[in-house]
Amino acid sequence: MRVTGGEPCEIRGAKHRALIALLATAPLGRRTRSYLQTTLWGLADYDSGHQNLRRALSDLRKLFGTHFDRFFHITNGDVEIDLVHVTYIGDPNAGPFLDDLNVSAREFCSWAAGVHQNPRQVLALYQLAPQRTKGHARPRITALPLAVLGNDPNLRILADWVAEETCRSLSRSNLLSVISHLSSCAMAQKMINITEVRNTLEVDYLVTGTLRRQGSEMIADFEFVDAANGTILWNRHLSCPADQFTDELQGRLVNVIKSIGQSIANSAIECVRDRPMPQVADHDLVIAGVSLMHRSPMRDFISSRDYLIEASTRMPKSPDVHAWLGKWYVLSVFKGFTTDRAGDTQKALDCTARALDIDPRSSFSLTIDGFAQNNLLKNMDVAEKRYSAALDVNPNESLSWLLRGALMAFQDDGAAAIRATQTARKLSPIDPFSYYYDSLASTAYIAAEDFTNALICAEKSLCVNDRHLSTLRTRTTTLHFLGRHEDARASAQDLIRRHPGFSIDEYKLNHPSAGNRAGQRVIEALTASGIHEQNSKITRRNMVD
């Protein structure tokens, strides 16, 4: 038994779990005090049973805190649990009811045995909500070869190649599990049946469509399908001269791939907002958590942690989930959102350590640990080792290239920083937080003193996320060094309006590049643009939307 939402917690005491089980299976969720005392502590001593029940309820009150009265209603004669807040998960046919609950009271054992003999008593409870199947941390997707209109064998080869390129592009994302192109080819040998594809490949989404030649044009129509119900989420129409099709396809596929990533993110966010947490699929928790983490409203950032904590509770052996949760804590500290810098720093390191304990060769976990080492501890040498190790495991790890580029910028190697961030962008056209790539590209250009391109990237990033502190700093810096001092002062005012707790002293104390030339350049620009050394009168509470 566990409590979800906020900080999830397990209810571990045998008698406490038995008490909740008795209430959750009762008509209207209500049992008399005398029944609970007798069932859990026997008939021998009424006063002892009375005290034990009071103690058990007191323990639960301490565990639930201020939420206790939402879940339980206590009177002199009855104890009631609010069934609105109870969800029954699992399979009632998977084993005897409460078989692992070690409560020896004879009356309780008799009650449980009665349920074992007649499981229909509790079967209806499990039918109150859809049951969650065995989950996975990433949504599973595949691209089927496009159907060919006509008998041209060359078109069939091209249709298969389009699907292969689509799978290859999708596989570069840390947020998706892509079923191999060969598996999807096998499913496309006959008439496509969505249910059969879903059950055979165990996919959540699939890309399908048609390819045809029309005069001198090659036309591809794509459909993105929710495999759970066969709903077409969107379709895209691409056309180009037939003799240029193979050369232009990759560039034209980018918009299709971006649309897939955005649709999956939006679907996950809609899911977590419309359903109780226990009814949300594991992969939707992760996608929603990651997507909301990179959105500008503070409420989205805060809620994303709840989804990632729930995902880590459900999937304790998934290194990716722990790494994403670690990144949340890094961002909380680095952006100045936290009210417990030391505590959240340790939580970030604990998460990345747990991820690497599970899989020491996880390129993504190595990358996030490098991110924490650089941005929280200023251990640039350790961060570089983590990024290098990640790229040794997976040379296509786009986030590692991106963060390595930021590290190079912090170390005043602008040319290397630009190369790394450009590589990251080419490898990751699908990420739902593209603004982050543009933001760090702006940082790289500043390190190379290319302020024109730095401003272009900063403005592009702010069009998507206008609260991102790092980008607001880089925009102010680029405007100052481009000689646009009035615009730089306006940008600095915008930064302070959105982040009233920011100050030059805070930047000097916490930013890993503050002591290098790149950091000194930022300090010079911010100071000239009107941002003060100290801003201690502003409270953190003002930063919340």
Side-chain angles (χ1 to χ4, degrees), residues 161 217-218 238-254:
W161 178 66
E217 294 285 304
M218 194 75 74
L238 301 182
S239 65
C240 67
D243 58 354
Q244 300 174 23
F245 184 74
T246 55
D247 295 329
E248 294 191 9
L249 176 67
Q250 192 61 255
R252 292 173 180 262
L253 269 181
V254 168

Side-chain angles (χ1 to χ4, degrees), residues 170-449:
L170 291 169
S171 66
R172 293 171 181 160
S173 171
N174 283 309
L175 295 170
L176 301 176
S177 289
V178 182
I179 304 304
S180 75
H181 172 63
L182 293 177
S183 297
S184 65
C185 283
M187 294 300 300
Q189 297 300 315
K190 49 189 176 180
M191 183 68 67
I192 296 174
N193 181 297
I194 300 296
T195 302
E196 185 178 356
V197 173
R198 181 188 67 225
N199 294 338
T200 302
L201 300 181
E202 297 183 333
V203 292
D204 303 293
Y205 301 96
L206 61 94
V207 183
T208 185
T210 61
L211 180 67
R212 69 184 188 276
R213 190 189 300 271
Q214 184 172 309
S216 61
E217 294 285 304
M218 194 75 74
I219 298 174
D221 290 300
F222 294 89
E223 292 180 348
F224 186 52
V225 180
D226 185 338
N229 50 31
T231 301
I232 298 175
L233 300 177
W234 51 253
N235 56 65
R236 296 289 184 271
H237 176 87
L238 301 182
S239 65
C240 67
D243 58 354
Q244 300 174 23
F245 184 74
T246 55
D247 295 329
E248 294 191 9
L249 176 67
Q250 192 61 255
R252 292 173 180 262
L253 269 181
V254 168
N255 288 333
V256 173
I257 301 302
K258 285 183 177 179
S259 295
I260 290 172
Q262 196 61 57
S263 293
I264 291 175
N266 290 341
S267 177
I269 292 170
E270 182 179 346
C271 181
V272 298
R273 287 176 173 168
D274 289 347
R275 301 180 188 177
M277 189 89 79
Q279 295 178 23
V280 178
D282 294 349
H283 63 81
D284 282 331
L285 283 173
V286 177
I287 294 292
V290 173
S291 300
L292 291 172
M293 185 199 312
H294 294 92
R295 290 195 172 190
S296 57
M298 179 67 75
R299 59 183 176 275
D300 285 349
F301 180 78
I302 292 172
S303 66
S304 69
R305 185 188 66 157
D306 296 338
Y307 303 131
L308 292 173
I309 288 176
E310 174 68 10
S312 68
T313 301
R314 293 187 191 181
M315 297 173 284
K317 298 298 183 181
S318 170
D320 284 6
V321 174
H322 293 295
W324 280 121
L325 183 57
K327 185 178 183 183
W328 188 94
Y329 286 112
V330 176
L331 293 178
S332 176
V333 173
F334 194 62
K335 292 182 175 184
F337 295 161
T338 182
T339 57
D340 181 9
R341 183 179 181 88
D344 279 0
T345 295
Q346 189 57 53
K347 287 178 181 177
L349 298 173
D350 289 344
C351 287
T352 58
R354 191 173 300 117
L356 290 171
D357 284 343
I358 297 168
D359 183 1
R361 287 181 56 79
S362 165
S363 61
F364 181 65
S365 300
L366 286 165
T367 298
I368 299 301
D369 189 58
F371 184 50
Q373 295 291 334
N374 182 37
N375 289 48
L376 300 185
L377 303 181
K378 303 181 185 178
N379 290 335
M380 293 190 183
D381 291 342
V382 176
E384 170 60 24
K385 291 177 182 178
R386 296 290 189 272
Y387 297 149
S388 296
L391 293 172
D392 286 343
V393 174
N394 179 12
N396 293 325
E397 181 62 66
S398 67
L399 188 58
S400 191
W401 279 109
L402 180 69
L403 296 177
R404 191 181 197 182
L407 177 62
M408 297 298 180
F410 295 165
Q411 295 175 325
D412 301 321
D413 191 347
I418 290 172
R419 287 195 298 271
T421 55
Q422 287 178 341
T423 300
R425 170 57 72 198
K426 291 176 182 176
L427 289 172
S428 186
I430 193 174
D431 280 290
F433 43 96
S434 60
Y435 81 89
Y436 192 57
Y437 284 70
D438 293 323
S439 176
L440 294 189
S442 179
T443 299
Y445 280 117
I446 287 177
E449 299 187 14

